[in-house]
Amino acid sequence: MNYSYYPGCSLSDTALDYDRSVRAVCARLGLGLVDIPDWNCCGASSAHMTSHEIGMRLPLRNLLLAAELGHDVLVPCAACFQRLKAAERSLRADPGYWDVPADLPEFRIVHISSLLSEPQHLASLGEQVRLPLEGLSLACYYGCLSLRHPKITGARNYEQPRALEEIIGALGANAVSWSHRTECCSGSLTMARPDIAEALVGDIVAAARRAGAQALVTDCPMCQANVESRQRHSATQPGLPVFFATELIVAALDGSYPASQGRLHLVSAQVLSNVVKRAAEQREEAA
């Protein structure tokens, strides 16, 4: 099956490693990604706060380009997903206002976690795991934008989502029960009001730590960057790294976690390196 692929700005720059892991995982699942030609920024999160018209026109152009490819649209970035879904909702409601064909082909806009948590893909991931991530306790962090508002995203279980838990469960890791999985990290305020960002991120990290998490796992590049960069940590209280779900999948399927990947994190990713190393040693002893 092929998908029209919209990486968005983050995955083309600051979260380039996220893009690579998404492509690697999709290849392992036999999912073809067709890049949307000449895509543009979706406007998140500044455009729609400045002008509704601009905030709609930017993602609408991407949807029209995707429609020409004839596939459902796969979006890894939660912010991009939310903006494309908002544009689609407006487009379907009033195509005349946006001056687009009324017979625009039907297509779905799919977030990466929704796709990977489908039963057939979970089963395939489980079969391909070389080194289970046993002993790794993770706090699954969704943030705001891939789930809310449900009238836009279509999310049914937006208060108690399970997609990330199901994905890491297929890898052998443990998902802790915790309180802040859908709380906002203040991604859009991280530059303008770092004091607010640090306070909200501090609450999130503290909640994950109380639940016994060794790290967080997310599917949003803005959340990943914000939570890693805005949390406070010290020698007596180390920070918690924030992994992309697809990053963990690649580690489990390949049976390795390169040091070059770990160095991309702002908080030490040694906990994952240790889990992979221990799993490899156990496999060698069993052999």
Side-chain angles (χ1 to χ4, degrees):
M1 180 179 291
N2 289 334
Y3 287 86
S4 300
Y5 184 58
Y6 180 75
C9 301
S10 293
L11 275 79
S12 300
D13 192 0
T14 55
L16 187 58
D17 56 318
Y18 186 23
D19 175 74
R20 290 169 180 161
S21 64
V22 168
R23 293 179 187 272
V25 171
C26 287
R28 295 290 285 268
L29 294 175
L31 303 173
L33 299 182
V34 183
D35 287 76
I36 297 174
D38 196 33
W39 61 267
N40 57 266
C41 173
C42 72
S45 59
S46 56
H48 64 281
M49 292 191 289
T50 303
S51 164
H52 175 72
E53 185 82 10
I54 296 174
M56 288 290 104
R57 292 287 182 186
L58 287 171
L60 275 173
R61 180 177 180 274
N62 293 311
L63 293 181
L64 294 176
L65 292 171
E68 296 177 4
L69 298 177
H71 312 299
D72 290 339
V73 184
L74 180 62
V75 188
C77 173
C80 294
F81 173 76
Q82 209 272 353
R83 297 314 305 159
L84 264 64
K85 289 288 289 185
E88 181 197 30
R89 187 169 185 263
S90 183
L91 173 64
R92 301 294 185 188
D94 191 2
Y97 177 83
W98 300 109
D99 192 27
V100 299
D103 59 347
L104 194 70
E106 291 292 329
F107 54 83
R108 294 186 306 145
I109 301 173
V110 184
H111 189 246
I112 185 66
S113 292
S114 297
L115 177 65
L116 297 181
S117 62
E118 292 178 1
Q120 70 274 23
H121 297 320
L122 288 175
S124 181
L125 291 176
E127 293 170 357
Q128 295 185 57
V129 168
R130 292 184 61 191
L131 290 179
L133 303 182
E134 296 174 353
L136 181 61
S137 292
L138 299 164
C140 296
Y141 180 57
Y142 295 84
C144 310
L145 296 175
S146 65
L147 300 169
R148 298 194 293 263
H149 190 285
K151 289 184 179 180
I152 292 175
T153 65
R156 295 181 179 179
N157 205 12
Y158 54 92
E159 292 292 348
Q160 295 293 331
R162 293 292 306 167
L164 288 173
E165 283 85 352
E166 291 172 352
I167 292 169
I168 68 165
L171 307 179
N174 172 58
V176 302
S177 176
W178 71 307
S179 56
H180 281 54
R181 50 217 293 267
T182 60
E183 294 295 314
C184 177
C185 73
S186 81
S188 62
L189 293 175
T190 189
M191 299 302 291
R193 290 295 305 272
D195 56 324
I196 294 177
E198 289 179 3
L200 294 180
V201 167
D203 290 343
I204 291 166
V205 173
R209 187 176 282 114
R210 284 196 303 270
Q214 298 164 287
L216 290 88
V217 57
T218 190
D219 50 22
C220 174
M222 292 179 66
C223 292
Q224 195 276 339
N226 199 41
V227 175
E228 280 210 339
S229 65
R230 292 300 180 187
Q231 63 176 287
R232 296 180 179 179
H233 47 89
S234 64
T236 57
Q237 185 168 272
L240 297 184
V242 186
F243 297 107
F244 290 116
T246 47
E247 178 183 3
L248 296 176
I249 294 172
V250 171
L253 269 55
D254 288 351
S256 65
Y257 188 67
S260 58
Q261 177 65 29
R263 284 195 293 270
L264 296 175
H265 285 269
L266 299 176
V267 177
S268 172
Q270 189 62 42
V271 61
L272 178 56
S273 300
N274 292 342
V275 168
V276 172
K277 180 181 178 181
R278 184 167 59 249
E281 291 173 348
Q282 291 173 348
R283 185 177 66 174
E284 289 178 2
E285 291 175 359

